Coordinates of all heavy atoms in Angstrom, one line a residue:
M138 N 5.4 -64.2 -105.9 CA 4.1 -64.4 -105.5 C 3.9 -65.3 -104.2 O 4.6 -66.3 -104.1 CB 3.2 -65.0 -106.7 CG 2.4 -64.0 -107.4 SD 1.1 -64.7 -108.4 CE 0.6 -63.3 -109.1
E139 N 3.0 -65.0 -103.4 CA 2.6 -65.7 -102.3 C 1.6 -66.7 -102.5 O 0.7 -66.5 -103.2 CB 2.2 -64.7 -101.3 CG 2.9 -64.8 -100.0 CD 2.4 -64.0 -98.8 OE1 2.8 -62.7 -98.9 OE2 1.6 -64.2 -98.2
E140 N 1.8 -67.9 -102.0 CA 0.8 -68.9 -102.2 C 0.0 -69.1 -100.9 O 0.5 -68.9 -99.8 CB 1.4 -70.4 -102.3 CG 1.9 -70.4 -103.7 CD 2.4 -71.8 -104.1 OE1 1.8 -72.8 -103.6 OE2 3.3 -72.0 -104.8
F141 N -1.4 -69.1 -101.0 CA -2.2 -69.2 -99.8 C -2.7 -70.8 -99.7 O -3.2 -71.2 -100.6 CB -3.3 -68.3 -99.9 CG -3.0 -66.9 -99.9 CD1 -2.9 -66.2 -101.2 CD2 -2.7 -66.3 -98.8 CE1 -2.6 -64.9 -101.3 CE2 -2.4 -64.8 -98.8 CZ -2.3 -64.2 -100.0
D142 N -2.4 -71.3 -98.6 CA -2.9 -72.6 -98.3 C -4.1 -72.5 -97.2 O -3.9 -72.4 -96.1 CB -1.7 -73.5 -97.7 CG -0.8 -73.9 -98.7 OD1 -1.1 -74.1 -99.9 OD2 0.5 -74.0 -98.4
F143 N -5.2 -72.7 -97.8 CA -6.3 -72.7 -96.8 C -7.4 -73.7 -97.6 O -7.5 -73.9 -98.7 CB -7.0 -71.4 -96.7 CG -7.6 -70.7 -97.9 CD1 -8.9 -70.9 -98.2 CD2 -6.8 -70.0 -98.8 CE1 -9.4 -70.3 -99.4 CE2 -7.3 -69.3 -99.9 CZ -8.7 -69.5 -100.2
A144 N -8.2 -74.4 -96.7 CA -9.2 -75.2 -97.1 C -10.5 -74.6 -97.1 O -10.9 -73.8 -96.3 CB -9.1 -76.5 -96.3
L145 N -11.3 -75.1 -98.0 CA -12.8 -74.6 -98.0 C -13.5 -75.2 -96.9 O -13.1 -76.2 -96.2 CB -13.5 -75.1 -99.3 CG -13.0 -74.4 -100.6 CD1 -13.7 -75.2 -101.8 CD2 -13.3 -73.0 -100.7
P146 N -14.4 -74.5 -96.3 CA -15.2 -75.0 -95.1 C -15.8 -76.3 -95.4 O -16.3 -76.5 -96.6 CB -16.2 -74.0 -94.7 CG -16.2 -73.0 -95.9 CD -14.9 -73.2 -96.6
P147 N -15.9 -77.2 -94.6 CA -16.4 -78.6 -94.9 C -18.0 -78.4 -95.2 O -18.6 -77.7 -94.7 CB -16.3 -79.4 -93.6 CG -16.1 -78.5 -92.6 CD -15.4 -77.1 -93.2
F148 N -18.5 -79.2 -96.1 CA -19.9 -79.2 -96.5 C -20.7 -79.8 -95.4 O -20.3 -81.0 -94.9 CB -20.1 -80.0 -98.0 CG -21.5 -79.9 -98.3 CD1 -22.1 -78.8 -98.7 CD2 -22.1 -81.1 -98.4 CE1 -23.3 -78.7 -99.2 CE2 -23.5 -81.1 -99.0 CZ -24.1 -80.0 -99.4
K149 N -21.6 -79.0 -94.9 CA -22.5 -79.7 -93.9 C -23.8 -80.0 -94.5 O -24.6 -79.0 -94.6 CB -22.6 -78.6 -92.7 CG -21.2 -78.3 -91.9 CD -21.4 -77.3 -91.0 CE -20.0 -77.0 -90.3 NZ -20.2 -76.0 -89.4
P150 N -24.2 -81.2 -94.8 CA -25.3 -81.5 -95.5 C -26.7 -81.1 -94.7 O -27.6 -80.6 -95.4 CB -25.3 -83.0 -95.8 CG -24.2 -83.5 -94.9 CD -23.4 -82.4 -94.6
D151 N -26.7 -81.2 -93.5 CA -27.9 -80.9 -92.7 C -28.2 -79.5 -92.8 O -29.3 -79.0 -93.0 CB -27.7 -81.3 -91.3 CG -27.7 -82.7 -91.0 OD1 -28.5 -83.5 -91.7 OD2 -26.9 -83.1 -90.2
D152 N -27.1 -78.5 -92.8 CA -27.3 -77.0 -92.8 C -27.7 -76.7 -94.3 O -28.5 -75.9 -94.5 CB -26.1 -76.4 -92.4 CG -25.6 -76.5 -91.0 OD1 -26.7 -76.9 -90.2 OD2 -24.6 -76.2 -90.5
A153 N -27.0 -77.3 -95.2 CA -27.3 -77.1 -96.6 C -28.7 -77.4 -97.0 O -29.4 -76.8 -97.7 CB -26.3 -77.8 -97.4
L154 N -29.2 -78.7 -96.4 CA -30.6 -79.0 -96.7 C -31.5 -78.0 -96.2 O -32.5 -77.7 -96.9 CB -30.8 -80.4 -96.2 CG -32.2 -80.9 -96.4 CD1 -32.5 -81.1 -97.8 CD2 -32.5 -82.3 -95.7
A155 N -31.3 -77.4 -95.0 CA -32.2 -76.5 -94.4 C -32.3 -75.2 -95.4 O -33.4 -74.7 -95.7 CB -31.7 -76.0 -93.0
G156 N -31.2 -74.7 -95.8 CA -31.0 -73.6 -96.8 C -31.7 -74.0 -98.1 O -32.4 -73.2 -98.6
L157 N -31.5 -75.2 -98.6 CA -32.2 -75.6 -99.8 C -33.7 -75.6 -99.7 O -34.4 -75.1 -100.7 CB -31.7 -77.1 -100.3 CG -32.4 -77.6 -101.4 CD1 -32.2 -76.9 -102.7 CD2 -31.8 -79.1 -101.6
K158 N -34.2 -76.1 -98.7 CA -35.7 -76.1 -98.3 C -36.2 -74.7 -98.4 O -37.3 -74.4 -98.9 CB -36.0 -76.9 -97.1 CG -35.8 -78.4 -97.1 CD -36.1 -79.0 -95.8 CE -36.0 -80.5 -95.8 NZ -36.6 -81.2 -94.7
R159 N -35.3 -73.9 -97.7 CA -35.9 -72.4 -97.6 C -35.9 -71.8 -99.0 O -36.8 -71.2 -99.4 CB -35.0 -71.7 -96.7 CG -35.3 -70.3 -96.3 CD -34.5 -69.5 -95.4 NE -33.1 -69.9 -95.4 CZ -32.4 -70.8 -94.6 NH1 -33.1 -71.4 -93.6 NH2 -31.1 -71.0 -94.7
S160 N -34.9 -72.1 -99.8 CA -34.9 -71.5 -101.2 C -36.0 -72.1 -102.0 O -36.6 -71.4 -102.8 CB -33.6 -72.0 -101.9 OG -32.5 -71.4 -101.2
L161 N -36.4 -73.4 -101.9 CA -37.5 -73.9 -102.7 C -38.8 -73.4 -102.2 O -39.6 -73.1 -103.1 CB -37.4 -75.5 -102.6 CG -36.2 -76.3 -103.2 CD1 -36.2 -77.6 -102.8 CD2 -36.2 -75.9 -104.7
R162 N -39.0 -73.1 -100.9 CA -40.1 -72.4 -100.5 C -40.3 -71.0 -101.0 O -41.4 -70.6 -101.3 CB -40.2 -72.4 -98.9 CG -40.6 -73.8 -98.4 CD -40.9 -73.8 -96.9 NE -39.8 -73.3 -96.1 CZ -38.9 -74.0 -95.6 NH1 -38.9 -75.3 -95.7 NH2 -37.9 -73.4 -94.7
E163 N -39.1 -70.4 -101.1 CA -39.2 -69.1 -101.6 C -39.5 -69.0 -103.2 O -40.1 -67.9 -103.7 CB -37.8 -68.4 -101.6 CG -37.5 -68.0 -100.0 CD -36.1 -67.6 -99.8 OE1 -35.3 -67.6 -100.8 OE2 -35.7 -67.2 -98.7
L164 N -39.3 -70.1 -103.8 CA -39.9 -70.2 -105.2 C -41.3 -70.5 -105.3 O -41.8 -70.6 -106.4 CB -39.0 -71.3 -105.9 CG -37.5 -71.0 -106.1 CD1 -36.9 -72.3 -106.7 CD2 -37.3 -69.8 -106.9
G165 N -42.0 -70.6 -104.3 CA -43.4 -70.9 -104.3 C -43.8 -72.3 -104.1 O -44.9 -72.7 -104.2
L166 N -42.9 -73.2 -103.8 CA -43.2 -74.5 -103.7 C -43.6 -74.8 -102.2 O -43.0 -74.2 -101.3 CB -42.0 -75.4 -104.0 CG -41.5 -75.2 -105.4 CD1 -40.3 -76.1 -105.8 CD2 -42.6 -75.5 -106.4
A167 N -44.4 -75.7 -102.0 CA -44.9 -76.2 -100.7 C -44.3 -77.5 -100.3 O -44.3 -78.4 -101.2 CB -46.4 -76.3 -100.6
E168 N -43.9 -77.7 -99.2 CA -43.2 -79.0 -98.7 C -44.2 -79.9 -98.2 O -45.1 -79.5 -97.4 CB -42.1 -78.7 -97.7 CG -41.4 -80.0 -97.3 CD -40.3 -79.5 -96.4 OE1 -40.1 -78.5 -95.9 OE2 -39.5 -80.7 -96.1
R169 N -44.3 -81.1 -98.7 CA -45.2 -82.2 -98.1 C -44.5 -83.6 -98.2 O -44.1 -83.9 -99.4 CB -46.5 -82.2 -98.9 CG -47.5 -83.0 -98.3 CD -48.8 -83.1 -99.1 NE -49.2 -81.7 -99.6 CZ -50.3 -81.5 -100.1 NH1 -51.2 -82.3 -100.5 NH2 -50.6 -80.2 -100.5
E170 N -44.3 -84.1 -97.2 CA -43.9 -85.5 -97.0 C -42.5 -85.7 -97.8 O -42.3 -86.6 -98.7 CB -44.8 -86.5 -97.6 CG -46.0 -86.5 -96.9 CD -47.2 -87.4 -97.4 OE1 -46.9 -88.1 -98.5 OE2 -48.3 -87.5 -97.0
G171 N -41.6 -84.7 -97.7 CA -40.3 -84.7 -98.2 C -40.3 -84.3 -99.7 O -39.2 -84.3 -100.3
R172 N -41.3 -83.9 -100.3 CA -41.3 -83.4 -101.6 C -41.8 -81.9 -101.6 O -42.5 -81.4 -100.8 CB -42.2 -84.2 -102.5 CG -41.8 -85.6 -102.8 CD -42.6 -86.2 -103.9 NE -43.8 -86.8 -103.4 CZ -44.5 -87.7 -104.1 NH1 -44.2 -87.9 -105.4 NH2 -45.6 -88.2 -103.5
F173 N -41.4 -81.3 -102.7 CA -41.9 -79.8 -102.8 C -42.8 -79.8 -104.1 O -42.5 -80.3 -105.1 CB -40.6 -78.9 -103.1 CG -39.8 -78.9 -101.9 CD1 -38.9 -79.7 -101.5 CD2 -40.0 -77.9 -100.9 CE1 -38.1 -79.8 -100.3 CE2 -39.3 -77.8 -99.8 CZ -38.4 -78.8 -99.4
E174 N -43.9 -79.2 -103.7 CA -45.0 -79.3 -104.8 C -45.5 -77.9 -105.2 O -45.3 -76.9 -104.4 CB -46.2 -80.0 -104.2 CG -45.9 -81.4 -103.8 CD -47.1 -82.1 -103.1 OE1 -48.1 -81.4 -102.8 OE2 -47.1 -83.4 -102.9
R175 N -46.0 -77.8 -106.4 CA -46.7 -76.6 -106.9 C -48.2 -77.1 -107.3 O -48.2 -77.9 -108.1 CB -46.1 -76.0 -108.0 CG -46.7 -74.8 -108.5 CD -46.0 -74.0 -109.6 NE -46.0 -74.9 -110.8 CZ -45.5 -74.4 -112.0 NH1 -44.9 -73.3 -112.1 NH2 -45.7 -75.3 -113.1
R176 N -49.1 -76.4 -106.6 CA -50.5 -76.9 -106.8 C -50.8 -78.3 -106.7 O -51.4 -79.0 -107.5 CB -51.0 -76.3 -108.1 CG -51.2 -74.8 -108.1 CD -51.7 -74.3 -109.4 NE -51.1 -73.1 -109.9 CZ -50.3 -73.0 -111.0 NH1 -49.9 -74.0 -111.6 NH2 -49.7 -71.8 -111.1
G177 N -50.1 -79.0 -105.7 CA -50.4 -80.5 -105.6 C -49.6 -81.3 -106.4 O -49.7 -82.6 -106.4
I178 N -48.7 -80.9 -107.3 CA -47.8 -81.6 -108.2 C -46.4 -81.5 -107.8 O -45.9 -80.5 -107.6 CB -48.1 -81.0 -109.7 CG1 -49.4 -81.1 -110.1 CG2 -47.1 -81.9 -110.6 CD1 -49.7 -80.5 -111.5
A179 N -45.9 -82.7 -107.5 CA -44.4 -82.8 -107.2 C -43.5 -82.2 -108.2 O -43.7 -82.5 -109.4 CB -44.1 -84.2 -107.0
I180 N -42.6 -81.3 -107.7 CA -41.6 -80.6 -108.6 C -40.2 -81.1 -108.2 O -39.4 -81.4 -109.0 CB -41.7 -79.2 -108.5 CG1 -43.1 -78.7 -108.9 CG2 -40.6 -78.5 -109.2 CD1 -43.4 -78.9 -110.3
A181 N -39.9 -81.1 -106.9 CA -38.5 -81.6 -106.5 C -38.6 -82.2 -105.1 O -39.6 -82.3 -104.4 CB -37.7 -80.1 -106.2
K182 N -37.5 -83.0 -104.8 CA -37.4 -83.5 -103.5 C -35.9 -83.5 -103.1 O -34.9 -83.4 -104.0 CB -37.8 -85.0 -103.4 CG -37.4 -85.9 -104.5 CD -38.0 -87.2 -104.6 CE -37.4 -88.2 -105.5 NZ -38.2 -89.5 -105.6
A183 N -35.7 -83.7 -101.8 CA -34.3 -83.6 -101.3 C -34.1 -84.1 -99.9 O -35.0 -84.0 -99.2 CB -33.7 -82.1 -101.3
A184 N -33.1 -84.9 -99.7 CA -32.8 -85.5 -98.3 C -31.3 -85.7 -98.2 O -30.5 -85.9 -99.1 CB -33.5 -86.9 -98.3
V185 N -30.9 -85.6 -96.9 CA -29.5 -85.9 -96.6 C -29.2 -87.4 -97.0 O -30.1 -88.3 -96.5 CB -29.2 -85.6 -95.2 CG1 -27.8 -86.0 -94.8 CG2 -29.3 -84.1 -94.9
D186 N -28.1 -87.7 -97.5 CA -27.7 -89.0 -97.9 C -26.2 -89.1 -97.6 O -25.3 -88.8 -98.4 CB -28.0 -89.2 -99.4 CG -27.5 -90.7 -99.8 OD1 -27.4 -91.5 -98.8 OD2 -27.3 -91.0 -100.9
G187 N -25.8 -89.5 -96.5 CA -24.4 -89.6 -96.0 C -23.9 -88.1 -95.9 O -24.4 -87.3 -95.1
G188 N -22.8 -87.9 -96.5 CA -22.2 -86.5 -96.5 C -22.6 -85.6 -97.5 O -21.9 -84.6 -97.9
A189 N -23.7 -85.9 -98.3 CA -24.2 -85.1 -99.4 C -25.6 -85.1 -99.3 O -26.3 -85.6 -98.4 CB -23.8 -85.8 -100.7
I190 N -26.3 -84.4 -100.3 CA -27.7 -84.3 -100.4 C -28.1 -85.0 -101.7 O -27.6 -84.7 -102.8 CB -28.3 -82.8 -100.4 CG1 -27.8 -82.2 -99.1 CG2 -29.8 -82.7 -100.7 CD1 -28.1 -80.7 -99.2
A191 N -29.1 -85.9 -101.5 CA -29.7 -86.6 -102.7 C -30.9 -85.7 -103.1 O -31.8 -85.6 -102.2 CB -30.1 -88.0 -102.4
A192 N -30.8 -85.1 -104.4 CA -31.9 -84.2 -104.8 C -32.4 -84.6 -106.2 O -31.7 -85.4 -106.8 CB -31.4 -82.8 -104.8
A193 N -33.6 -84.3 -106.4 CA -34.2 -84.6 -107.7 C -35.2 -83.6 -108.1 O -35.8 -83.0 -107.2 CB -34.9 -85.9 -107.6
V194 N -35.4 -83.4 -109.5 CA -36.4 -82.4 -109.9 C -37.1 -83.3 -111.1 O -36.5 -84.2 -111.7 CB -35.8 -81.2 -110.5 CG1 -34.8 -81.5 -111.7 CG2 -36.9 -80.2 -110.8
V195 N -38.3 -83.0 -111.3 CA -39.1 -83.7 -112.3 C -38.7 -83.3 -113.7 O -38.4 -82.1 -113.7 CB -40.7 -83.6 -112.0 CG1 -41.0 -84.3 -110.9 CG2 -41.2 -82.2 -112.1
K196 N -38.8 -84.1 -114.7 CA -38.5 -83.7 -116.0 C -39.6 -82.8 -116.6 O -39.4 -81.8 -117.2 CB -38.3 -84.9 -116.9 CG -37.0 -85.6 -116.7 CD -36.9 -86.7 -117.8 CE -35.5 -87.4 -117.5 NZ -35.2 -88.5 -118.5
K197 N -40.9 -83.2 -116.2 CA -42.0 -82.4 -116.5 C -43.1 -82.7 -115.5 O -43.3 -83.9 -115.1 CB -42.6 -82.9 -117.9 CG -43.7 -82.1 -118.5 CD -44.1 -82.6 -119.7 CE -45.2 -81.7 -120.3 NZ -45.6 -82.2 -121.6
P198 N -43.9 -81.6 -115.1 CA -44.8 -81.9 -114.0 C -45.9 -82.9 -114.4 O -46.4 -82.8 -115.5 CB -45.5 -80.5 -113.8 CG -44.5 -79.5 -114.3 CD -43.7 -80.2 -115.5
S199 N -46.2 -83.7 -113.4 CA -47.2 -84.8 -113.8 C -47.9 -85.2 -112.5 O -47.3 -85.4 -111.6 CB -46.4 -86.0 -114.4 OG -47.4 -87.2 -114.6
R200 N -49.3 -85.4 -112.6 CA -50.1 -85.8 -111.4 C -50.0 -87.3 -111.2 O -50.0 -87.7 -110.0 CB -51.5 -85.5 -111.6 CG -51.7 -84.0 -111.5 CD -53.2 -83.7 -111.3 NE -53.4 -82.2 -111.2 CZ -53.4 -81.4 -110.2 NH1 -52.9 -81.9 -109.1 NH2 -53.7 -80.2 -110.4
L201 N -49.7 -88.0 -112.3 CA -49.7 -89.5 -112.2 C -48.3 -90.1 -111.6 O -48.2 -90.4 -110.5 CB -50.0 -90.2 -113.6 CG -51.4 -89.6 -114.1 CD1 -51.5 -90.3 -115.5 CD2 -52.5 -90.1 -113.2
S202 N -47.4 -90.3 -112.5 CA -46.0 -90.7 -112.0 C -45.0 -89.9 -112.6 O -44.4 -90.1 -113.7 CB -45.9 -92.1 -112.4 OG -46.0 -92.4 -113.7
P203 N -44.4 -88.9 -111.9 CA -43.4 -88.0 -112.4 C -42.1 -88.7 -112.8 O -41.8 -89.7 -112.0 CB -43.2 -87.1 -111.3 CG -43.7 -87.6 -110.1 CD -44.7 -88.6 -110.5
E204 N -41.3 -88.4 -113.7 CA -40.1 -88.9 -114.1 C -39.0 -88.0 -113.5 O -39.0 -86.8 -113.7 CB -40.0 -89.0 -115.5 CG -38.7 -89.7 -116.0 CD -38.6 -89.9 -117.5 OE1 -39.7 -89.7 -118.2 OE2 -37.5 -90.1 -117.9
W205 N -38.2 -88.6 -112.5 CA -37.3 -87.7 -111.8 C -35.8 -87.7 -112.5 O -35.3 -88.8 -112.9 CB -37.1 -88.3 -110.4 CG -38.4 -88.2 -109.5 CD1 -39.3 -89.2 -109.4 CD2 -38.9 -87.1 -108.8 NE1 -40.3 -88.7 -108.7 CE2 -40.0 -87.4 -108.3 CE3 -38.4 -85.8 -108.6 CZ2 -40.9 -86.4 -107.5 CZ3 -39.2 -84.9 -107.9 CH2 -40.3 -85.3 -107.3
Q206 N -35.2 -86.5 -112.4 CA -33.8 -86.4 -112.6 C -33.0 -86.2 -111.4 O -33.2 -85.2 -110.7 CB -33.6 -85.1 -113.5 CG -34.3 -85.1 -114.9 CD -34.0 -84.0 -115.7 OE1 -34.3 -82.7 -115.0 NE2 -33.8 -84.0 -116.9
T207 N -32.3 -87.1 -111.0 CA -31.5 -87.2 -109.7 C -30.2 -86.5 -109.8 O -29.4 -86.4 -110.9 CB -31.4 -88.5 -109.1 OG1 -30.6 -89.2 -110.0 CG2 -32.8 -89.1 -108.8
K208 N -29.8 -86.0 -108.6 CA -28.4 -85.3 -108.6 C -27.9 -85.3 -107.1 O -28.7 -85.2 -106.3 CB -28.5 -83.8 -109.1 CG -27.2 -83.2 -109.1 CD -27.2 -81.9 -109.8 CE -25.8 -81.4 -109.8 NZ -25.5 -80.3 -110.9
T209 N -26.7 -85.6 -107.0 CA -26.0 -85.6 -105.7 C -25.4 -84.2 -105.5 O -24.6 -83.9 -106.3 CB -24.9 -86.7 -105.5 OG1 -25.7 -88.0 -105.8 CG2 -24.4 -86.7 -104.2
L210 N -25.7 -83.6 -104.5 CA -25.2 -82.2 -104.2 C -24.1 -82.3 -103.0 O -24.5 -82.8 -101.9 CB -26.3 -81.2 -103.6 CG -27.6 -81.3 -104.5 CD1 -28.7 -80.4 -103.9 CD2 -27.3 -80.9 -105.9
K211 N -22.9 -82.0 -103.4 CA -21.7 -82.2 -102.6 C -21.1 -80.9 -102.1 O -20.1 -81.0 -101.3 CB -20.8 -83.1 -103.2 CG -21.3 -84.5 -103.4 CD -20.1 -85.3 -104.2 CE -20.6 -86.7 -104.5 NZ -19.6 -87.4 -105.2
S212 N -21.7 -79.8 -102.5 CA -21.0 -78.6 -102.1 C -22.1 -77.4 -102.0 O -23.2 -77.6 -102.7 CB -19.9 -78.1 -103.0 OG -20.4 -77.9 -104.4
G213 N -21.9 -76.4 -101.6 CA -22.8 -75.1 -101.6 C -23.0 -74.7 -103.0 O -24.1 -74.4 -103.3
A214 N -21.9 -74.8 -103.9 CA -22.2 -74.5 -105.3 C -23.2 -75.5 -106.0 O -24.0 -75.1 -106.9 CB -20.8 -74.5 -106.2
D215 N -23.1 -76.6 -105.7 CA -24.1 -77.7 -106.2 C -25.5 -77.4 -105.8 O -26.4 -77.5 -106.6 CB -23.8 -79.1 -105.8 CG -22.5 -79.7 -106.5 OD1 -22.0 -79.2 -107.3 OD2 -22.0 -80.6 -105.9
V216 N -25.7 -76.9 -104.5 CA -27.0 -76.5 -104.1 C -27.5 -75.3 -104.8 O -28.7 -75.3 -105.2 CB -26.9 -76.3 -102.5 CG1 -28.3 -75.8 -101.9 CG2 -26.7 -77.6 -101.8
R217 N -26.7 -74.3 -104.9 CA -27.0 -73.1 -105.6 C -27.5 -73.5 -107.1 O -28.5 -72.9 -107.7 CB -26.0 -72.1 -105.7 CG -25.8 -71.4 -104.3 CD -24.8 -70.2 -104.2 NE -23.5 -70.7 -104.7 CZ -22.5 -71.1 -104.0 NH1 -22.8 -71.2 -102.6 NH2 -21.3 -71.4 -104.3
D218 N -26.6 -74.3 -107.7 CA -26.9 -74.7 -109.2 C -28.3 -75.4 -109.2 O -29.1 -75.3 -110.2 CB -25.9 -75.6 -109.7 CG -24.5 -74.9 -110.0 OD1 -24.6 -73.5 -110.0 OD2 -23.5 -75.4 -110.1
F219 N -28.6 -76.3 -108.3 CA -29.8 -77.0 -108.2 C -31.0 -76.1 -108.1 O -32.0 -76.2 -108.8 CB -29.8 -78.1 -107.1 CG -31.1 -78.9 -107.0 CD1 -31.3 -80.0 -108.0 CD2 -32.1 -78.7 -106.1 CE1 -32.5 -80.8 -107.9 CE2 -33.2 -79.4 -106.0 CZ -33.4 -80.4 -107.0
V220 N -30.9 -75.2 -107.2 CA -32.0 -74.1 -107.0 C -32.2 -73.3 -108.3 O -33.3 -73.2 -108.7 CB -31.7 -73.3 -105.7 CG1 -32.7 -72.1 -105.8 CG2 -31.7 -74.0 -104.5
A221 N -31.1 -72.9 -109.0 CA -31.2 -72.2 -110.2 C -32.0 -73.1 -111.3 O -32.7 -72.6 -112.0 CB -29.9 -71.7 -110.7
H222 N -31.5 -74.3 -111.3 CA -32.1 -75.3 -112.2 C -33.6 -75.4 -112.1 O -34.5 -75.4 -112.9 CB -31.5 -76.6 -112.2 CG -32.0 -77.6 -113.2 ND1 -32.1 -77.6 -114.4 CD2 -32.8 -78.7 -112.9 CE1 -32.5 -78.7 -115.0 NE2 -33.1 -79.4 -114.1
V223 N -34.2 -75.6 -110.7 CA -35.4 -75.7 -110.5 C -36.2 -74.3 -110.8 O -37.3 -74.4 -111.5 CB -35.7 -76.0 -108.9 CG1 -37.2 -75.8 -108.6 CG2 -35.1 -77.3 -108.6
K224 N -35.6 -73.2 -110.5 CA -36.2 -71.9 -110.8 C -36.4 -71.8 -112.3 O -37.4 -71.2 -112.8 CB -35.3 -70.8 -110.3 CG -35.9 -69.4 -110.4 CD -35.0 -68.4 -109.8 CE -35.5 -67.0 -110.1 NZ -34.7 -66.0 -109.4
K225 N -35.4 -72.1 -113.1 CA -35.5 -72.2 -114.6 C -36.5 -72.9 -115.1 O -37.4 -72.5 -116.1 CB -34.1 -72.5 -115.2 CG -34.1 -72.6 -116.6 CD -32.7 -73.0 -117.1 CE -32.7 -73.4 -118.6 NZ -31.6 -74.2 -119.0
N226 N -36.6 -74.2 -114.5 CA -37.8 -75.1 -115.0 C -39.1 -74.6 -114.6 O -40.1 -74.6 -115.5 CB -37.7 -76.4 -114.4 CG -36.4 -77.3 -115.0 OD1 -35.9 -76.9 -116.0 ND2 -36.2 -78.5 -114.4
L227 N -39.3 -74.0 -113.4 CA -40.6 -73.4 -113.2 C -41.0 -72.4 -114.0 O -42.1 -72.2 -114.4 CB -40.5 -72.9 -111.6 CG -40.5 -74.0 -110.6 CD1 -40.2 -73.4 -109.2 CD2 -41.8 -74.7 -110.5
A228 N -40.1 -71.5 -114.4 CA -40.3 -70.4 -115.3 C -40.7 -70.9 -116.8 O -41.6 -70.4 -117.4 CB -39.1 -69.4 -115.4
A229 N -40.1 -72.1 -117.2 CA -40.4 -72.6 -118.5 C -41.8 -73.3 -118.6 O -42.3 -73.4 -119.6 CB -39.3 -73.5 -118.9
W230 N -42.1 -74.0 -117.4 CA -43.4 -74.7 -117.4 C -44.5 -73.7 -117.3 O -44.6 -72.8 -116.4 CB -43.3 -75.7 -116.3 CG -42.4 -76.7 -116.4 CD1 -42.0 -77.4 -117.5 CD2 -41.8 -77.4 -115.3 NE1 -41.0 -78.3 -117.2 CE2 -40.9 -78.4 -115.9 CE3 -41.7 -77.2 -113.9 CZ2 -40.0 -79.2 -115.1 CZ3 -40.8 -78.1 -113.0 CH2 -40.2 -79.0 -113.7
S231 N -45.4 -73.9 -118.1 CA -46.7 -73.0 -118.1 C -47.8 -73.7 -117.2 O -47.6 -74.8 -116.9 CB -47.1 -72.7 -119.5 OG -47.7 -73.8 -120.1
D232 N -48.8 -73.0 -117.1 CA -49.9 -73.5 -116.2 C -50.4 -74.8 -116.9 O -51.1 -75.6 -116.1 CB -51.0 -72.4 -116.1 CG -50.6 -71.3 -115.1 OD1 -49.6 -71.6 -114.3 OD2 -51.0 -70.3 -115.2
R233 N -50.4 -74.9 -118.2 CA -51.0 -76.0 -118.9 C -50.2 -77.3 -118.6 O -50.7 -78.4 -119.0 CB -51.3 -75.7 -120.3 CG -50.0 -75.5 -121.1 CD -50.3 -74.9 -122.5 NE -49.0 -74.2 -122.8 CZ -48.3 -74.5 -123.9 NH1 -48.6 -75.5 -124.6 NH2 -47.3 -73.9 -124.1
D234 N -48.9 -77.1 -118.2 CA -48.1 -78.3 -117.9 C -48.5 -78.9 -116.6 O -48.1 -80.0 -116.4 CB -46.6 -77.9 -117.8 CG -46.1 -77.5 -119.2 OD1 -46.5 -78.2 -120.2 OD2 -45.1 -76.7 -119.2
D235 N -49.2 -78.2 -115.8 CA -49.7 -78.8 -114.4 C -50.8 -79.8 -114.7 O -51.6 -79.7 -115.5 CB -50.2 -77.7 -113.6 CG -49.1 -76.8 -113.0 OD1 -47.9 -77.3 -113.3 OD2 -49.3 -75.7 -112.5

């Protein structure tokens, strides 16, 4: 058997953040002051932090003071998983949670 020695492309947090923002907007969230909201309620936030993306999603939508679940995204797979998690949460939260 032949072995293949190749490296994965380096993670580019600036490019990944642009893609993450686009994906969150496609989920119906509006970007405002670094946060992504649904009907004026913060749902997620993300920013470049060194060589990674510091991202967070609320545990439950709240107008007062949301409780954030933070995660460091260090690869394209992490970004995809984060978007899938936000999408799953949005589907689970009903209108009365807003």
Side-chain angles (χ1 to χ4, degrees):
M138 255 193 185
E139 234 178 274
E140 286 188 36
F141 296 99
D142 287 327
F143 65 91
L145 293 173
F148 183 65
K149 298 178 183 174
D151 292 320
D152 295 343
L154 180 61
L157 174 59
K158 288 180 175 184
R159 187 172 39 256
S160 295
L161 293 174
R162 285 191 302 268
E163 288 172 359
L164 293 177
L166 301 177
E168 184 176 8
R169 186 183 316 190
E170 298 175 3
R172 291 196 272 189
F173 291 85
E174 303 175 344
R175 179 175 71 172
R176 292 187 214 108
I178 299 173
I180 301 294
K182 59 185 177 179
V185 172
D186 183 20
I190 297 173
V194 64
V195 295
K196 287 186 178 181
K197 185 176 179 184
S199 170
R200 289 197 187 275
L201 301 176
S202 56
E204 190 176 339
W205 296 96
Q206 295 175 314
T207 60
K208 183 167 182 163
T209 301
L210 312 178
K211 298 179 181 179
S212 69
D215 289 344
V216 173
R217 288 187 300 275
D218 289 345
F219 181 78
V220 171
H222 179 69
V223 172
K224 184 176 182 178
K225 177 182 163 191
N226 285 355
L227 286 171
W230 295 325
S231 67
D232 290 337
R233 64 193 153 116
D234 289 329
D235 289 346

